[in-house]
Amino acid sequence: MKEFVQVSESVTWTGVIDQDMKKFHGEELSIPNGTSYNSYLVKDEKTVLIDTVIHKMGYDWVTKLKKEIDLNEIDYIIMNHSEPDHSGALLELMREIPETPIVCTEKGVEILKKYYGKNWKFHPVKTGDKINIGSKDLIFVEMKMLHWPDSMLTYLTEENILFSNDAFGQHYANYGLFNDMADQDQLHYECMKYYACILTPFGGILKNKLEEVLSLDLKIDMICPSHGVIWRDNPLQIVQKYLKWCNNYIESQVTIVYDTMWESTRKMAESIAEGITDVRQDIKVKLYNSAKNSENDIATEIFRSEGFLLGSSTINNGILPSMAALTESIKGLKFKDKKVGAFGSYGWNGRSLDILNRVLDETGLERITDGVKIMWNLDDEDTEKCREFGRDFAKSLFVELL
Ligand code: FEO
C-alpha cells in the first residue's frame, strides 16, 4: 500500500492505489490503468475524514489509518458520495468508532442505510451548510445526479481545496499522486474516458452546476477528487476541460464501429473509411471491431467524434451480440449533436441494417443516411458503393466545405 501523503498543511491523502483493478462497476467499465480510492484526513482543531475506500481494502486501510491517527480523534466522517467504492470501508471503520457522526446529503443517508443497514449518527447537509473545524470551514455543495442523487462537493476554506469526489477524477493508478507527476497523455485520455462513460448523460446538469460553482467565486488552489490524480498544478485546467466537454464537444473525427462474421462487414467498414478520406484527408477516421475492443474505449471515441457509423452482419434476423451490447451503451450515454449512419452485410436477410437504423433513431441523433447493405461478399461494384457511401457521409458532415 502506498504511504499516506501530506498534500497541504492540514490535509493528508489517506487513500489506496489499486493498479490491479481492471474492471469497474462489476464488469461494466474497463480500466486498464487501474484506479485509486482517494480518502483525505483534514486536521485542524477538529479532525475530519473525507470519504473511505472500497470494501475489499477496508481492513488493511483501517489498520493503516490507525497508525496515522487515533481513530477516536476523528470528529466527523464526510461521505461526499455513497457508492461502494467510497463507502465500502465504512463498515470496518464504524466497527471501531460507531459514535462518530457521518456527514452527507439526505439522499446519502438513505443510500448508506440501505447499503449497510446501520443506524449510524447521520448528520445530513445541503448546499451552503458548513462545519467549522477551527481556523477553517468545510462548506458543502450538493451535486445531485453528478453522478448519483447523493453526490456532493466539500470545500476547505483558507487552503482553498475542493474535495470533488468523482467529479474531475479518472481511473488512473498514478503513484506520483499529483497531476504534474502523471503521464500527461494517459491522464488526459483517462479523464476524457471517465467523463464520456460516466458523466455524458448528465452533461446538461453538469453545465448548470459548474456555472453555479464558478459563480461562487471560490478560490481553488487544489482539487482533490476521489479517483486518480490530485490537481495541484493549474487545478482549473480540469474544470475548463469539463466546461468544454459538457458543451456538445466534438473533434474532427469519424468513428466506424463494426462486427463481422466472414469479413464482409469489415471490408465494408474499410471501404467506407476510404470514401471519407477521399473527401477529407485531414479528418481522423478510426475503425474499431466491437467484438475486439473495449466498449468503453469505443464509447470514448464516439464521444469525441463529429459522426459515427455502426455496422453489423445479420445473424438470426438480428445484429451480432457485441454490437447489440454497444448499442445499449450508446443509447444510455445519450450522446448529442452527432451525425450517424449504419451498414452491414447479409446472406438472405438484411435485417441488421434495419435494426441499426432503428437503434440510431432511438438515440435521437441525426441519421443522415438510410445506410448501405451488401449481400454475401463485396465485388468491385459493392466496394465502390461503400466508398461512395463514405464520401456522401463525409459531405454531409462538412456541408460548409461544398
Ligand atoms: Fe467513484 Fe460514483 O463512485
Side-chain angles (χ1 to χ4, degrees):
M1 261 187 169
K2 181 175 173 59
E3 291 304 310
F4 294 158
V5 178
Q6 186 152 3
V7 299
S8 74
E9 196 180 321
S10 60
V11 178
T12 303
W13 174 85
T14 49
V16 169
I17 291 183
D18 188 359
Q19 64 275 5
D20 283 347
M21 188 80 159
K22 298 297 175 192
K23 287 288 180 84
F24 204 80
H25 291 155
E27 297 295 308
E28 187 266 330
L29 183 63
S30 72
I31 53 168
N33 288 311
T35 191
S36 66
Y37 318 100
N38 297 338
S39 158
Y40 301 93
L41 197 61
V42 185
K43 291 181 188 165
D44 198 331
E45 287 169 26
K46 292 190 185 308
T47 300
V48 177
L49 182 73
I50 300 180
D51 293 326
T52 75
V53 304
I54 199 167
H55 178 261
K56 67 176 181 176
M57 292 175 157
Y59 176 78
D60 287 347
W61 176 72
V62 170
T63 304
K64 194 165 169 205
L65 198 60
K66 280 185 197 171
K67 293 179 187 163
E68 177 76 19
I69 188 174
D70 175 351
L71 298 182
N72 293 300
E73 288 177 16
I74 298 175
D75 295 287
Y76 297 101
I77 299 165
I78 293 174
M79 291 304 306
N80 276 330
H81 176 36
S82 312
E83 197 165 0
D85 50 326
H86 309 296
S87 67
L90 261 183
L91 276 175
E92 194 71 41
L93 181 64
M94 297 309 281
R95 255 198 283 278
E96 304 273 347
I97 45 172
E99 299 302 315
T100 306
I102 297 176
V103 180
C104 59
T105 60
E106 285 281 6
K107 206 68 184 171
V109 176
E110 182 187 318
I111 296 169
L112 289 170
K113 279 185 176 173
K114 195 70 170 58
Y115 263 111
Y116 303 111
K118 302 287 184 190
N119 227 357
W120 292 319
K121 286 188 176 169
F122 292 105
H123 178 105
V125 290
K126 54 188 183 320
T127 295
D129 287 351
K130 58 177 76 169
I131 291 178
N132 179 265
I133 58 169
S135 62
K136 307 173 191 72
D137 289 328
L138 288 165
I139 303 174
F140 306 103
V141 180
E142 290 173 272
M143 297 284 280
K144 195 173 178 184
M145 292 319 297
L146 294 171
H147 68 124
W148 272 22
D150 64 316
S151 301
M152 71 171 187
L153 309 175
T154 299
Y155 178 74
L156 177 66
T157 62
E158 309 309 315
E159 290 190 354
N160 309 321
I161 299 178
L162 190 64
F163 298 94
S164 59
N165 197 264
D166 282 339
F168 312 128
Q170 68 298 146
H171 289 302
Y172 182 38
N174 171 42
Y175 248 74
L177 202 59
F178 297 97
N179 67 312
D180 48 291
M181 296 174 74
D183 178 315
Q184 298 302 302
D185 292 339
Q186 273 186 335
L187 176 59
H188 175 76
Y189 181 75
E190 290 301 340
C191 286
M192 180 180 273
K193 182 174 174 178
Y194 192 94
Y195 183 94
C197 296
I198 296 175
L199 291 168
T200 300
F202 311 111
I205 302 172
L206 179 65
K207 191 173 171 203
N208 292 336
K209 186 51 81 170
L210 285 178
E211 283 166 4
E212 181 192 320
V213 171
L214 290 174
S215 75
L216 298 174
D217 230 4
L218 299 173
K219 189 167 185 303
I220 297 175
D221 289 334
M222 198 181 290
I223 297 178
C224 292
S226 59
H227 296 292
V229 303
I230 292 173
W231 299 92
R232 71 173 175 188
D233 176 39
N234 183 17
L236 289 179
Q237 65 179 286
I238 187 62
V239 181
Q240 296 303 333
K241 280 182 180 171
Y242 268 47
L243 281 168
K244 272 202 306 190
W245 291 341
C246 69
N247 209 10
N248 300 336
Y249 176 80
I250 49 169
E251 295 174 20
S252 183
Q253 176 173 321
V254 173
T255 300
I256 303 174
V257 192
Y258 63 92
D259 194 356
T260 189
M261 289 175 69
W262 290 106
E263 310 303 335
S264 297
T265 304
R266 174 182 61 77
K267 292 178 197 167
M268 291 181 76
E270 290 165 354
S271 296
I272 292 166
E274 298 281 2
I276 293 171
T277 52
D278 284 346
V279 175
R280 273 285 294 271
Q281 291 175 9
D282 56 337
I283 191 170
K284 290 178 282 181
V285 183
K286 297 186 182 176
L287 281 74
Y288 296 94
N289 183 322
S290 55
K292 296 180 189 293
N293 290 277
S294 137
E295 192 179 300
N296 317 105
D297 287 323
I298 292 173
T300 307
E301 295 301 336
I302 287 176
F303 165 74
R304 77 207 301 187
S305 294
E306 185 170 354
F308 67 91
L309 295 161
L310 301 181
S312 173
S313 323
T314 297
I315 183 169
N316 299 332
N317 291 332
I319 57 177
L320 287 162
S322 77
M323 184 56 65
L326 180 69
T327 57
E328 276 304 298
S329 271
I330 290 172
K331 280 194 287 182
L333 289 172
K334 297 186 169 62
F335 293 115
K336 294 210 167 27
D337 289 334
K338 298 183 190 304
K339 296 184 177 178
V340 297
F343 60 98
S345 65
Y346 67 104
W348 55 98
N349 171 333
R351 280 207 65 225
S352 65
L353 182 61
D354 300 334
I355 292 169
L356 288 173
N357 279 339
R358 176 172 51 73
V359 168
L360 288 172
D361 290 343
E362 285 170 13
T363 65
L365 296 169
E366 187 185 355
R367 180 163 65 80
I368 55 178
T369 165
D370 287 334
V372 58
K373 59 182 173 184
I374 301 292
M375 196 173 190
W376 300 123
N377 196 9
L378 283 73
D379 57 22
D380 289 347
E381 194 179 320
D382 295 326
T383 300
E384 177 52 28
K385 192 173 168 184
C386 291
R387 198 162 177 147
E388 185 61 20
F389 173 81
R391 287 187 204 109
D392 288 344
F393 188 76
K395 287 174 189 168
S396 306
L397 289 172
F398 308 113
V399 284
E400 70 274 11
L401 298 175
L402 300 179

